[in-house]
């Protein structure tokens, strides 16, 4: 009996679903960047910063959140637990030092040094993201869409989860939130870091996977609905401390529930080892590619329909073509060269990927799509104020939940596209970009209640990008250097925000505000010489849909361009996805 229990416990420790659930918990702590708006007021008041200085700290935070080259590189050199430990230490040291300064326990540092501390602290988040995605995509190579979507969804909800925990603590000292941001995620990551790893053996689709993913999706939907409801109640009603504690306990229960999957699979389900489970992706690949030709001339000479043939017939046709080319080479008619670099679907290094058109199509499409979405998220307060809404927090809460559902739903629906139809996953990104284009139009036109529809569409579309793009990159450019590839693609987000929000949106808003101010000033002067002296030092404020009309139309056009780029990528990768998923679909149908 004891021996059987030990065997089941060993199965539990090595269960890939345990790794996935632990990665979900780590991702729920990876939303520290979303809390900057909550910790910035105490930093501003304690250190006597003005808004411009605080904005520089915000830029440092965004850079820390997006510059993941080091995390991607270290994840390839160190074991994943080592990369997670580095991230936890960065998070603890960066934000811990900020807490010491704000509370007067350490000497005040210059602004540039504070920017470095914020950068270092927030950069720890990139290690959490990288380790979670790399381990789980390798453990579930046949279910990349759902895995990436769920993990990125939990990262998006991380800010709301940490905020609810802080609300329960109910500390009158607002600096304690900085302490929680420094210590909380670091403790969780260190506790779970040895679990996060690629596990050997059974990486193929199992019969229980469908039920398990359905259960996880159900928990995700309940969690999103619950958090949204709690945020609305706490925002609109004065909730007592005992009720807040009950809310947070229920939140913890919803977070812990997914552990039931590896427990059930390991302790209650009789172990079965189907023949398909023993086959690792690498073994499949080596068997198929044993007869593949590495002559570049074969790629040039073979007919387009060869890639659509069954594997055995394809190998036969290519072998015939290779034989002809070898004979021609022997006679001196052609010169045979070895093919340089991997093909799409094989393992690329970042350097090899950077010279591929497909990689840049993904990057630019992501830059236009997610960059325009982040512009709305960054300017949501001013957008809602300009349209006459007093309670701007409701839209921030709504777009956070839609963002989460977009990430989870984007992974789910893109997986149906590749799994059931063997069609390129980027078509899901193209659909998301069209949805965003419509959302921008709703916000720009300023129709009654259009903000609710606009935040819904943009939140869903923006979130979908972060489920679809990592899965697409892993399919087209392989898993071996996935950490470096993923972290390079994430640079599209701040790059898009810098151009669209920092230059386009802010410039147009200031111009419209200046026009309104000048018009108002002229009216005051015409009425009274003294009335023109009122409100001279007030900051410029724009009112009406005109404030963001042009910006929204530009963002909509950019999303349409992103749609075109995504469809070009779809056209270029049809054969790749047919080879990747066509065989499994045929066997499934058969």
């Amino acid at each position: 009996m004891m021996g059987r229990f030990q065997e089941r416990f060993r199965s539990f420790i090595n269960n890939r679903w345990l790794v996935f659930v632990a990665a979900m918990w780590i991702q729920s702590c990876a939303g520290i960047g979303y809390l900057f708006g909550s910790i910035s007021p105490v930093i501003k008041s304690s250190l006597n910063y003005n808004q411009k200085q605080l904005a520089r700290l915000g830029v440092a935070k965004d850079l820390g959140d997006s510059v993941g080259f080091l995390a991607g590189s270290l994840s390839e050199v160190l074991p994943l637990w080592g990369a997670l430990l580095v991230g936890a230490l960065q998070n603890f040291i960066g934000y811990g030092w900020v807490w010491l300064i704000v509370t007067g326990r350490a000497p005040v540092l210059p602004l540039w040094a504070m920017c470095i501390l914020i950068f270092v602290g927030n950069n720890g988040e990139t290690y959490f993201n990288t380790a979670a995605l790399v381990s789980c995509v390798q453990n579930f190579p046949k279910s990349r869409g759902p895995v990436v979507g769920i993990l990125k969804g939990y990262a998006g909800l991380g800010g709301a989860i940490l905020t609810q925990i802080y609300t329960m603590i109910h500390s009158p000292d607002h600096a304690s939130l900085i302490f929680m941001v420094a210590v909380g995620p670091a403790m969780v990551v260190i506790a779970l870091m040895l679990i996060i790893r690629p596990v050997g053996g059974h990486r193929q689709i199992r019969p229980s996977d469908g039920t398990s993913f359905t259960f996880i999706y159900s928990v995700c939907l309940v969690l999103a609905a619950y958090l949204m409801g709690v945020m609305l109640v706490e925002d609109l009603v004065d909730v007592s401390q005992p009720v807040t504690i009950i809310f947070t306990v229920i939140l913890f229960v919803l977070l812990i529930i997914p552990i039931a999957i590896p427990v059930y699979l390991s302790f209650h389900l009789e172990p079965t080892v189907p023949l398909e489970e023993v086959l690792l992706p690498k073994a499949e690949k080596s068997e198929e590619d044993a007869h593949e030709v590495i002559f570049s001339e074969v790629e040039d000479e073979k007919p387009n329909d060869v890639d659509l043939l069954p594997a055995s017939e394809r190998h036969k046709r290519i072998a015939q073509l290779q034989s002809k080319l070898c004979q021609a080479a022997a006679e001196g008619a052609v010169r045979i060269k070895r093919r340089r670099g991997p093909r799409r679907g094989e393992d690329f290094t970042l350097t090899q990927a950077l010279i591929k058109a497909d990689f840049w199509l993904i990057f630019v499409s992501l830059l236009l799509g997610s960059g325009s979405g982040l512009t709305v998220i960054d300017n949501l307060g001013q957008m809602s104020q300009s349209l006459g809404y007093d309670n701007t927090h409701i839209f921030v809460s709504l777009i956070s939940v839609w963002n989460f559902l977009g990430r989870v739903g984007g992974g789910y629906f893109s997986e149906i596209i590749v799994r059931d139809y063997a069609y390129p996953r980027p078509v899901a990104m193209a659909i998301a970009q069209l949805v965003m284009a419509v959302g921008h139009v709703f916000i720009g036109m300023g129709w009654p209640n259009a903000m609710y529809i606009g935040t819904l569409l943009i939140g869903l579309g923006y979130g979908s990008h972060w489920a679809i793009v990592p899965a697409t990159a892993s399919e087209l450019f392989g898993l071996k250097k996935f950490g470096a590839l993923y972290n390079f693609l994430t640079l599209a987000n701040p790059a898009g925000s810098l151009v669209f929000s920092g230059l386009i949106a802010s410039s147009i808003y200031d111009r419209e505000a200046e026009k309104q101010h000048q018009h108002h000033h002229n009216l005051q002067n015409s009425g009274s010489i003294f009335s023109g002296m009122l409100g001279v030092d007030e900051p410029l404020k724009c009112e009406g849909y005109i404030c963001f009309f042009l910006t929204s139309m530009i963002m909509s056009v950019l999303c349409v361009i992103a749609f075109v780029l995504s469809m070009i990528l779809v056209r270029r990768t049809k054969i790749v996805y047919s080879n990747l998923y066509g065989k499994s679909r045929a066997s499934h149908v058969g």
Side-chain angles (χ1 to χ4, degrees), residues 254-493:
L254 291 174
L255 289 173
I256 293 171
I257 278 178
I259 195 66
I261 293 175
V263 169
Y264 176 76
L265 293 177
S266 301
F267 291 97
H268 298 285
L269 197 64
E270 287 299 321
T272 56
V273 186
L275 179 63
E276 61 178 314
E277 287 188 359
V278 190
L279 300 175
L280 294 176
K282 288 185 179 178
E284 280 184 16
K285 187 176 177 181
S286 61
E287 182 183 343
E288 284 187 16
D289 292 350
H291 305 98
E292 286 288 352
V293 190
I294 55 174
F295 295 149
S296 61
E297 281 75 9
V298 171
E299 293 293 327
D300 298 334
E301 297 293 333
K302 71 180 181 182
N304 292 331
D305 59 352
V306 166
D307 285 317
L308 301 177
L309 296 173
S312 58
E313 183 65 22
R314 184 172 70 248
H315 293 321
K316 182 179 176 182
R317 294 279 294 273
I318 291 178
Q320 291 173 352
L321 184 56
Q322 180 184 7
S323 176
K324 291 180 182 178
L325 283 170
C326 288
Q327 184 177 355
E331 296 171 358
V334 297
R335 183 180 177 186
I336 298 297
K337 300 176 291 185
R338 294 187 73 81
R339 182 176 57 84
R340 293 174 131 189
R343 287 191 297 265
R344 287 176 296 188
E346 298 177 348
D347 290 323
F348 281 71
T349 64
L350 178 60
T351 307
Q352 290 169 332
L354 286 174
I355 61 174
K356 296 297 180 181
D358 292 342
F359 189 81
W360 287 105
L361 282 171
I362 295 174
F363 184 87
V364 177
S365 179
L366 179 63
L367 186 149
L368 297 176
S370 73
S372 66
L374 192 59
T375 299
V376 172
I377 293 172
D378 289 345
N379 293 277
L380 203 53
Q382 287 177 309
M383 284 182 168
S384 53
Q385 283 179 351
S386 67
L387 293 176
Y389 294 97
D390 295 326
N391 184 12
T392 62
H393 300 293
I394 182 66
F395 296 109
V396 175
S397 300
L398 284 173
I399 206 166
S400 297
V401 174
W402 300 136
N403 180 12
F404 168 75
L405 293 176
R407 295 179 186 214
V408 175
Y412 176 77
F413 289 110
S414 70
E415 195 69 15
I416 291 176
I417 290 170
V418 299
R419 183 73 51 205
D420 294 351
Y421 301 99
Y423 203 73
R425 193 184 298 271
V427 75
M429 188 162 70
I431 294 170
Q433 286 155 350
L434 274 186
V435 168
M436 289 183 70
V438 176
H440 285 300
V441 170
F442 268 93
I443 290 180
M445 298 306 293
W447 296 317
N449 298 320
M451 275 294 292
Y452 292 96
I453 301 174
T455 52
L456 164 67
L457 298 178
I458 291 172
L460 290 175
Y462 173 80
S464 298
H465 282 76
W466 295 106
I468 299 166
V469 167
T472 302
S474 71
E475 287 162 337
L476 296 182
F477 303 105
L479 293 171
K480 191 174 181 182
K481 303 293 183 180
F482 175 68
L485 295 167
Y486 165 73
N487 280 294
F488 184 90
L489 289 171
T490 59
L491 291 177
N493 213 31

Side-chain angles (χ1 to χ4, degrees), residues 106-124:
V108 177
L109 297 177
L111 180 61
W112 62 266
M114 292 294 293
C115 288
I116 291 175
L117 289 179
I118 293 289
F119 174 88
V120 169
N122 223 64
N123 192 243

